[in-house]
């Protein structure tokens, strides 16, 4: 698969997910083993202290990591999150967050990724490590 085919595959995968457009996530950058996602912070994402809800932070990190994993597989293969662990380092109160997802290790069945969620000033807000399971074409 060429670099352009890989980028098109990831863009199509991203665009096919209604949840991502519903919450306003944007695909900012794609390269083999790395994807950057952005998302505007909205009042609707707040938890009771006014910070972005941890579930939303985790969703953004998972989306970046999952799409980074997607850059490593051939056409017809898919990935799903098998497991993730996230560390919330600072409250998310900024207007926009960025998640940088990168592949740590890519095997035939499992792809290990990490995602770092940052604010506009590049401060680390959360860090996730996850295992993505590779689904073979049926």
């Amino acid at each position: 698969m060429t670099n352009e085919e890989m980028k098109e595959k990831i863009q199509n995968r991203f665009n096919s997910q209604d949840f991502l457009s519903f919450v306003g996530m944007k695909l900012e950058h794609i390269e083999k083993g790395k994807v950057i996602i952005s998302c505007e912070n909205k009042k609707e994402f707040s938890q009771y202290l006014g910070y972005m809800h941890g579930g939303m932070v985790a969703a953004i990190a998972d989306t970046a990591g999952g799409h980074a994993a997607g850059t490593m597989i051939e056409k017809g293969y898919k990935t799903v999150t098998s497991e993730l662990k996230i560390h919330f380092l600072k409250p998310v109160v900024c207007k926009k967050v960025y998640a940088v997802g990168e592949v740590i290790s890519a095997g035939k069945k499992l792809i290990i990724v990490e995602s770092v969620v940052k604010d506009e000033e590049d401060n680390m807000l959360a860090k996730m490590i996850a295992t993505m399971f590779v689904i073979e074409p049926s």
Side-chain angles (χ1 to χ4, degrees):
M1 179 179 326
T2 68
N3 196 45
E4 286 308 311
E5 289 171 329
M6 179 266 300
K7 287 181 178 182
E8 182 180 350
K9 177 187 77 165
I10 296 301
Q11 187 70 60
N12 290 340
R13 172 180 159 161
F14 187 89
N15 292 342
S16 73
Q17 298 180 62
D18 293 335
F19 172 73
L20 305 182
S21 61
F22 177 72
V23 297
M25 288 190 211
K26 304 260 189 273
L27 186 54
E28 300 285 347
H29 177 82
I30 308 165
E31 66 183 76
K32 190 163 181 90
K34 182 178 179 179
V35 168
I36 301 174
I37 304 289
S38 69
C39 189
E40 298 282 337
N41 196 353
K42 300 176 184 173
K43 180 181 167 264
E44 293 82 5
F45 300 157
S46 298
Q47 46 85 293
Y48 78 104
L49 294 172
Y51 310 146
M52 183 184 277
H53 192 282
M56 188 63 197
V57 177
I60 296 165
D62 182 44
T63 300
H67 283 81
T71 68
M72 306 301 290
I73 56 177
E74 292 299 318
K75 190 173 182 178
Y77 287 76
K78 298 182 180 358
T79 59
V80 292
T81 305
S82 169
E83 164 280 331
L84 70 79
K85 178 174 177 64
I86 189 163
H87 294 274
F88 301 106
L89 305 172
K90 294 180 183 175
V92 178
V93 294
C94 54
K95 293 188 185 303
K96 189 173 189 177
V97 295
Y98 296 88
V100 179
E102 295 187 86
V103 172
I104 297 172
S105 176
K108 290 181 181 179
K109 290 285 184 187
L110 300 175
I111 300 174
I112 311 304
V113 299
E114 69 175 7
S115 293
V116 176
V117 179
K118 298 180 177 188
D119 64 15
E120 304 100 321
E121 276 109 47
D122 210 35
N123 296 306
M124 188 183 304
L125 306 172
K127 184 159 187 167
M128 177 202 81
I129 188 164
T131 305
M132 303 296 167
F133 180 75
V134 178
I135 301 170
E136 295 181 9
S138 51

